[in-house]
Structure formats: structure tokens, C-alpha cells
């Protein structure tokens, strides 16, 4: 068994020796994307498992080990991880945890410290915690973010977004129920094997695969009936994770809606672009500016490939990141970047302009940045988009599903009225 090592500050390190025998658990925010990204990690030599444990026990575990005044996503993520450790499925002396660390002003930067505190409280302080970050906040000798790994991550992200966007435009209209989800499972299996083997990353191959994916979904027979179109925006975790939003997408599907959730690539571009905005506003290294510009251009190129494939197969992609950014010029400042920042406001306007005027703004209760750029911007958005039908929904351990769904039903009632006018 690998020997435990600590840095000079007493932090338990994830060492190279641990890669031989340790399983790395990570929270699961977006099932399609994270299934693919876990294969990317496996190809890079890390035995990563995305957690799927959900239910009341996860929330109760989170409440047990995290202060209930801490933001809801932190409570859920930490609850999911510790619940998994306590399940008996894993050898606790050969298990590590992986969590993102942004380094921004949001409390998400502190998740890793809250997790370590919770592990000590649970008597699991010997479980290493790996920080996944691009800011050099924490380093571990056994886990390194390399350029090939970044490239592979981006590929997994693009494939995941493409499948999600195509599937969401097919599922509500499919004649043969279950056909869309079966095709999702097919492509996740195919791409997982490919990514795990180290294939599917080159530009040409990606263009071929993206078009093949979109074409396969376009062949799904549709009934042609009209559905209420609903967009979903919000804090990134509760926006995508069914654990965080009480199965929001499934609920909307049960109400005969077509759901549009903006791609995760937009958020990735936003986070990279923020570095350039920082330099514009406050100054900074010219070297950093060049590196960030290269990465931004690379991500933009990948976004273009995805949107081109969707468009060629007959699907409607959302606007490009650069177009989305222009929508809030003069509406909200680009320096407003805590949490989802100005992007959240921009995505609501974007969804409206793309034919999704009915919008659920999902936010953790007490998430100050998102209440400002989400709920706080609704009045301004409705001045620009007069027929926008937006409902902000708070998600929290104390919030009831019935209340949340009733508020969404009221929004859908307004949507039906607007459709018939």
C-alpha cells in the first residue's frame, strides 16, 4: 500500500505511487459529459469513477458534515462523496477524491477545504483530496494537468455537448419512445472506448464523428407536434445536475416540453475569456495574455466544429460564445464574473432570441452572485425581451420539490397562454 506523504503545511498529498492502486471518486454533474471525461482520465492513467449515488441520504450526509449555511452545491457534492465512502463499495485506504477548485470569488473555491474538514469529522482524514484546477492553487506529485490531457478534456466536452444538444431536440418529438436515450447510450459507449484507447482527438476525426453523431440523431422519427420550449440557465451545478435540481429536465419532459440547456463549452469559454477581461481591466502579463488567447482561440475552433455539425444535420445550435457576449453589451458589465457572471444574463437573452422564451433560472438559495446576475437581471431582460417568461427557482436542502414544481407549472401555464395569443 502506498505510503502517505504530506507537504510542509501538513496537507495530505496524492502521490505517483497511488496511481497504481487508488480509485479516484469524483462528483457527477452532467452524466453524458462526465462519462466521457472519466474515460479521458483513465486513458491518462487515473482510475476515475464518477459517482451516481443520489437520494435523500446524500442530502442528509451533506447536512451532517457541512454547515447548512454553506451553498447547496457544496453540501451535495461533499454529501455525495462521503456517502460513497461510507457505502462499503470502496477500499477506503485505496481511494482518493477529485474536486474542481476555481480560485475565483465564489465559495466554490473553498469546496476543497470544506471537504477536507468534513473528512476529518467523519474519521476519513487519510483519504487524499485532489484539486482539479488550472490556477496552480494546489499541486500533487501524482496528478498533473498536461496539454494532452487538456486537449482530451476539450474533446470529451465537445462530444458531450453535441450529444446533449441533439438529443434534447429529438426526445420530446420521438415517435418510438426511448429511441433517443438508446442512441445516447450507444454513442457514450462508442466514444468511451475510443477516448479510453486514445483516439478521436484529431481535428479531422472529430469533425467526422460530430457529423456522424448529429446525423444519427436526425434520423430519429419525429411526430411533428408543437411543444412548449423551455430554456434552463443558472448556477452551473444546479443547472446540469439532476441531484442539484430535483430532476428538473425529467419534470419538464413530463410536462411535454422541449428543453434547451446551453452547452458547457460556453461556460468553459467564459472562464478562459475572463482571464483576458482581467488583463483589460487591471493589466497583467503579456505572456499570460498570449497563452490565454491561444486557448480561447482553440476552444472557439472546437465550438465552431460542434455548431457546424449540428447545423448541417438540421439541428438548431445556440449562438456562438462571441455572439452571446455581444448580447449583453451595455446591459451588464463584463467585469461581472463571479459565479456565472454576465454569461447567465446573456444566456437568458440568447434563449429568448433562439425561440425559447420560457426560462427556468435555477439557483442555489443564498448564492449571491447568481441572484444578482440571474433573478436581479430579470426586470432588465424583460425590458429588452418583452415576451420573456422567466421563473427563478431556488434549490436548497429545505426547499420542497412540490413548491418548485408548482412554480414551474405556473410559468408553463403562462407559456400556453402566450402561445395561444
Amino acid at each position: 500500500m502506498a505510503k502517505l506523504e504530506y507537504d510542509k503545511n501538513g496537507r495530505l498529498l496524492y502521490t505517483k505511487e497511488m496511481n497504481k492502486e487508488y480509485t479516484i471518486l469524483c462528483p457527477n454533474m452532467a452524466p453524458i459529459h462526465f462519462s466521457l471525461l472519466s474515460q479521458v482520465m483513465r486513458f491518462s492513467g487515473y482510475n476515475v469513477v464518477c459517482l451516481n449515488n443520489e437520494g435523500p441520504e446524500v442530502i442528509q450526509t451533506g447536512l451532517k458534515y457541512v454547515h447548512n449555511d454553506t451553498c447547496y452545491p457544496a453540501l451535495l457534492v461533499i454529501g455525495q462523496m462521503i456517502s460513497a465512502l461510507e457505502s462499503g463499495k470502496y477500499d477506503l485506504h485505496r481511494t482518493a477524491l477529485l474536486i474542481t477548485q476555481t480560485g475565483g470569488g465564489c465559495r466554490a473555491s473553498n469546496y476543497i477545504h470544506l471537504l477536507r474538514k468534513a473528512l476529518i469529522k467523519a474519521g476519513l482524514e487519510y483519504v487524499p483530496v485532489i484539486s482539479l484546477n488550472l490556477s496552480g492553487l494546489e499541486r500533487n506529485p501524482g496528478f498533473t494537468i498536461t496539454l494532452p490531457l487538456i486537449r482530451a478534456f476539450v474533446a470529451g466536452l465537445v462530444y458531450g455537448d453535441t450529444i446533449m444538444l441533439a438529443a434534447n431536440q429529438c426526445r420530446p418529438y420521438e415517435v418510438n419512445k426511448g429511441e433517443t436515450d438508446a442512441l445516447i447510450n450507444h454513442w457514450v459507449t462508442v466514444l468511451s472506448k475510443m477516448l479510453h484507447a486514445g483516439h478521436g482527438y484529431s481535428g479531422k476525426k472529430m469533425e467526422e464523428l460530430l457529423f456522424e453523431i448529429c446525423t444519427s440523431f436526425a434520423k430519429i422519427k419525429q411526430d411533428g407536434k408543437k411543444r412548449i420550449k423551455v430554456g434552463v440557465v443558472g448556477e452551473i451545478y444546479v443547472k446540469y445536475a439532476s441531484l442539484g435540481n430535483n430532476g428538473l429536465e425529467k419534470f419538464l419532459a413530463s410536462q411535454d416540453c422541449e428543453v434547451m440547456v446551453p452547452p458547457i463549452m460556453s461556460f468553459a469559454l467564459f472562464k478562459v475569456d475572463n482571464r483576458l477581461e482581467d488583463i483589460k481591466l487591471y493589466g497583467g502579463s503579456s505572456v499570460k495574455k498570449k497563452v490565454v488567447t491561444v486557448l480561447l482561440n482553440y476552444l472557439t475552433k472546437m465550438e465552431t466544429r460542434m455548431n457546424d455539425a449540428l447545423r448541417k444535420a438540421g439541428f438548431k445550435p445556440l449562438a456562438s460564445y462571441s455572439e452571446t457576449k455581444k448580447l449583453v453589451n451595455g446591459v451588464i458589465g463584463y467585469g461581472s464574473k463571479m459565479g456565472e457572471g454576465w454569461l447567465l444574463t446573456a444566456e437568458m437573452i440568447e434563449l429568448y432570441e433562439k425561440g425559447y422564451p420560457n426560462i427556468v433560472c435555477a439557483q442555489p438559495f443564498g448564492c449571491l452572485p447568481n441572484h444578482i446576475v440571474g433573478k436581479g437581471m430579470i426586470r432588465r431582460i424583460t425590458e429588452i425581451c418583452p415576451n420573456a417568461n422567466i421563473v427563478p427557482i431556488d434549490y436548497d436542502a429545505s426547499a420542497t420539490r412540490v413548491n418548485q414544481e408548482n412554480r414551474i407549472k405556473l410559468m408553463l401555464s403562462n407559456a400556453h397562454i402566450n402561445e395561444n395569443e
Side-chain angles (χ1 to χ4, degrees):
M1 188 169 64
K3 182 181 177 181
L4 298 183
E5 296 182 17
Y6 300 83
D7 68 7
K8 61 182 181 180
N9 297 315
R11 176 171 63 88
L12 178 60
L13 300 173
Y14 182 82
T15 63
K16 291 180 180 179
E17 291 73 20
M18 290 177 176
N19 281 325
K20 300 173 184 177
E21 53 188 32
Y22 269 59
T23 297
I24 302 173
L25 307 182
C26 75
N28 194 347
M29 183 179 75
I32 297 172
H33 299 73
F34 278 48
S35 293
L36 298 175
L37 294 178
S38 65
Q39 294 303 319
V40 165
M41 300 286 282
R42 284 172 177 265
F43 172 68
S44 299
Y46 307 111
N47 183 26
V48 172
V49 174
C50 286
L51 297 173
N52 293 309
N53 53 319
E54 296 190 3
E57 66 276 5
V58 169
I59 298 174
Q60 292 306 313
T61 302
L63 286 169
K64 182 179 179 181
Y65 294 109
V66 182
H67 194 286
N68 64 359
D69 191 38
T70 302
C71 66
Y72 192 42
L75 186 148
L76 290 176
V77 166
I78 294 170
Q80 187 178 49
M81 286 182 162
I82 294 184
S83 180
L85 292 174
E86 293 178 341
S87 69
K89 294 181 180 179
Y90 306 99
D91 181 346
L92 300 183
H93 292 280
R94 290 181 172 83
T95 303
L97 303 176
L98 176 69
I99 192 167
T100 56
Q101 191 178 20
T102 60
C106 177
R107 281 177 289 182
S109 300
N110 298 314
Y111 282 16
I112 194 165
H113 307 295
L114 292 169
L115 176 56
R116 289 195 177 110
K117 184 178 179 180
L119 288 171
I120 292 171
K121 188 177 180 180
L124 299 169
E125 62 275 4
Y126 51 84
V127 176
V129 180
I130 304 167
S131 168
L132 180 62
N133 71 85
L134 293 173
S135 306
L137 295 173
E138 285 191 3
R139 301 180 187 275
N140 285 280
F143 186 88
T144 307
I145 297 180
T146 61
L147 285 175
L149 183 58
I150 292 174
R151 180 183 178 222
F153 253 79
V154 172
L157 199 63
V158 172
Y159 288 130
D161 275 343
T162 303
I163 294 172
M164 178 185 73
L165 291 168
N168 282 349
Q169 293 182 51
C170 291
R171 191 182 292 106
Y173 308 98
E174 62 185 8
V175 172
N176 303 310
K177 296 303 178 184
E179 190 175 358
T180 302
D181 288 335
L183 193 54
I184 290 173
N185 292 334
H186 164 75
W187 278 113
V188 168
T189 300
V190 169
L191 291 169
S192 293
K193 290 178 180 178
M194 192 177 296
L195 295 173
H196 183 62
H199 304 306
Y201 301 127
S202 70
K204 185 178 180 181
K205 184 63 177 177
M206 284 193 69
E207 287 180 4
E208 293 174 358
L209 281 169
L210 290 172
F211 182 66
E212 188 178 348
I213 290 167
C214 294
T215 302
S216 67
F217 279 99
K219 292 177 181 177
I220 293 175
K221 190 175 180 181
Q222 300 187 10
D223 60 23
K225 297 178 182 178
K226 287 186 68 175
R227 263 78 178 182
I228 295 295
K229 294 189 175 185
V230 180
V232 176
V233 300
E235 187 274 333
I236 189 166
Y237 185 83
V238 297
K239 176 181 177 182
Y240 294 104
S242 62
L243 176 61
N245 60 36
N246 281 335
L248 175 61
E249 288 188 59
K250 284 187 178 180
F251 172 72
L252 288 170
S254 74
Q255 302 300 303
D256 208 24
C257 300
E258 178 195 328
V259 184
M260 172 62 80
V261 187
I264 296 179
M265 176 58 78
S266 296
F267 184 76
L269 282 158
F270 168 71
K271 299 307 288 186
V272 173
D273 188 28
N274 280 342
R275 302 294 188 270
L276 292 179
E277 288 298 332
D278 283 344
I279 293 171
K280 290 177 186 176
L281 291 169
Y282 313 115
S285 165
S286 59
V287 174
K288 178 182 177 181
K289 183 178 180 180
K290 288 179 181 178
V291 171
V292 173
T293 300
V294 169
L295 180 57
L296 184 68
N297 290 339
Y298 176 65
L299 293 178
T300 301
K301 186 176 181 181
M302 299 296 276
E303 179 194 48
T304 301
R305 284 176 178 154
M306 175 179 70
N307 287 342
D308 284 348
L310 287 163
R311 196 175 290 107
K312 287 177 183 176
F315 293 103
K316 294 180 180 178
L318 290 176
S320 67
Y321 172 77
S322 60
E323 292 170 333
T324 304
K325 186 176 181 179
K326 291 176 184 176
L327 292 175
V328 289
N329 187 17
V331 177
I332 186 171
Y334 295 134
S336 177
K337 59 187 183 64
M338 293 300 107
E340 280 54 55
W342 60 259
L343 180 65
L344 199 161
T345 306
E347 284 184 339
M348 286 194 274
I349 299 175
E350 175 190 19
L351 286 165
Y352 176 86
E353 294 197 347
K354 290 294 183 178
Y356 296 84
N358 312 295
I359 299 168
V360 176
C361 185
Q363 16 189 57
F365 176 75
C367 181
L368 184 60
N370 285 286
H371 277 272
I372 292 170
V373 297
K375 185 186 294 185
M377 290 299 295
I378 291 176
R379 181 175 177 179
R380 179 72 177 101
I381 291 169
T382 53
E383 290 174 356
I384 303 167
C385 313
N387 295 318
N389 180 24
I390 306 170
V391 58
I393 303 293
D394 288 343
Y395 291 92
D396 187 68
S398 61
T400 64
R401 182 192 292 258
V402 171
N403 179 267
Q404 292 162 347
E405 293 181 352
N406 282 342
R407 294 192 63 210
I408 295 170
K409 284 180 180 179
L410 181 60
M411 180 272 287
L412 294 177
S413 295
N414 291 332
H416 284 289
I417 293 170
N418 294 337
E419 285 276 320
N420 295 324
E421 286 183 351

